[in-house]
Amino acid sequence: MKPILLLLLLSSLSYSVATTAYPSIPGTTSVEYAAETDTLIPPRREVYGNGRIFDISHRYSTTMPAFETNDGVGQFLWLPNSMKNGSIANNSEMKLPTHTGTHVDAPGHVFDHYFDAGFDVDTLDLDVLNGPALLVDVPREKNITAEVMKSLHIPKGVRRVLFRTLNTDRRLMFQKEFDSSYVGFMRDGAQWLVENTDIKLVGIDYLSVAAYDDLIPSHLVFLEGREIILVEALKLDDVEPGIYSVHCLPLRLPGAEGSPIRCILIK
């Protein structure tokens, strides 16, 4: 066989194997190898699937707010092993409080005997964290009291509710400084929810579901029965009120009373 013919056959075989092993995926764009002079721009999205999937988790940054500090989260990510410094791969390390950004609370957060007994984030019910959910707008300029809860007229049988408040309008999660004037549940609002609704997942749009003036009392009401799961610091901008399918997954951290969580809404 002539060398040039052999080369053509090998090229054809190589192309055939590549396209069989890596078929094109519907809805995606082919990726070409860029010249070294081209600028690579990674996509960062808030909405996926042609407007069907909403990412309602906040992107972590050094300037996102942290509880009771004006300094923000600060540095939380390091690159001790870098290919630029001779490592065979890039390997990052992360250190941050478990109640940073969009996160979930376990019963051990405010009950020490639950903490000692092991009611951590690894024991949370994923069935509660995933399923049909109602996104509601809370009356502005008010904390969530029993009166406010009554005014929302949330039907019995609704198990998951995300409460969008003035916190979203004020973009508090995009400000570095902690703001104690955020909207949250007062104790009587939490008590009314526990006693008069079927809600088991409570989501809110700032670092705490409880108003600052009722910080511990509201948490105690919510978490005492170990049935309600609190998801805090949700990103609810530009999402219409209504019914969605919510999907939230915390890290499996035995011994931790809180965890970062990734949450999405699907129409």
Side-chain angles (χ1 to χ4, degrees):
M1 184 178 293
K2 294 182 179 180
I4 189 168
L5 180 58
L6 178 61
L7 180 61
L8 287 171
L9 285 172
L10 288 174
S11 299
S12 175
L13 178 61
S14 174
Y15 177 77
S16 174
V17 170
T19 54
T20 301
Y22 303 102
S24 61
I25 301 172
T28 64
T29 303
S30 298
V31 178
E32 302 291 341
Y33 285 105
E36 290 186 6
T37 56
D38 291 347
T39 300
L40 296 175
I41 303 175
R44 299 193 189 278
R45 307 179 184 92
E46 307 300 327
V47 182
Y48 300 77
N50 296 318
R52 193 174 63 90
I53 303 172
F54 299 87
D55 192 333
I56 57 170
S57 310
H58 279 280
R59 187 174 289 115
Y60 283 81
S61 73
T62 58
T63 57
M64 74 188 313
F67 207 79
E68 293 187 325
T69 177
N70 290 327
D71 298 329
V73 171
Q75 184 176 0
F76 60 91
L77 197 63
W78 291 263
L79 187 63
N81 298 312
S82 168
M83 294 178 70
K84 293 180 178 63
N85 293 331
S87 296
I88 61 171
N90 294 316
N91 284 284
S92 302
E93 290 183 0
M94 182 172 66
K95 182 179 180 180
L96 76 170
T98 56
H99 297 266
T100 302
T102 307
H103 66 276
V104 64
D105 287 354
H109 183 37
V110 290
F111 287 96
D112 204 36
H113 64 291
Y114 287 164
F115 184 89
D116 292 341
F119 288 98
D120 52 38
V121 292
D122 192 44
T123 67
L124 296 177
D125 188 348
L126 293 184
D127 184 57
V128 173
L129 287 164
N130 295 270
L134 175 64
L135 170 60
V136 298
D137 276 316
V138 174
R140 291 344 193 212
E141 308 295 343
K142 289 184 178 181
N143 279 313
I144 305 175
T145 61
E147 179 185 2
V148 169
M149 281 301 304
K150 291 176 187 177
S151 73
L152 293 175
H153 302 294
I154 297 172
K156 294 286 285 185
V158 174
R159 299 183 65 221
R160 305 168 190 87
V161 179
L162 312 181
F163 295 87
R164 181 165 54 194
T165 74
L166 187 64
N167 302 331
T168 294
D169 299 350
R170 296 176 63 196
R171 295 182 64 80
L172 293 187
M173 282 300 299
F174 296 94
Q175 299 178 19
K176 181 179 179 180
E177 297 79 13
F178 173 74
D179 191 327
S180 62
S181 68
Y182 67 87
V183 172
F185 275 84
M186 301 298 288
R187 186 188 185 283
D188 69 315
Q191 195 71 51
W192 197 93
L193 182 149
V194 169
E195 294 177 353
N196 297 280
T197 77
D198 296 318
I199 299 170
K200 301 304 177 189
L201 171 62
V202 176
I204 204 162
D205 50 1
Y206 198 55
L207 291 169
S208 174
V209 72
Y212 193 72
D213 290 340
D214 262 357
L215 188 61
I216 297 303
S218 294
H219 273 92
L220 292 174
V221 170
F222 278 132
L223 297 177
E224 183 176 16
R226 305 197 308 274
E227 293 184 348
I228 291 176
I229 299 178
L230 306 178
V231 179
E232 299 166 325
L234 288 168
K235 183 174 67 63
L236 301 177
D237 311 73
D238 304 320
V239 185
E240 292 294 323
I243 298 290
Y244 296 84
S245 180
V246 68
H247 299 278
C248 294
L249 294 174
L251 301 178
R252 301 193 72 172
L253 296 173
E257 79 300 325
S259 168
I261 193 168
R262 187 73 177 265
C263 290
I264 63 171
L265 291 180
I266 302 178
K267 282 185 178 179

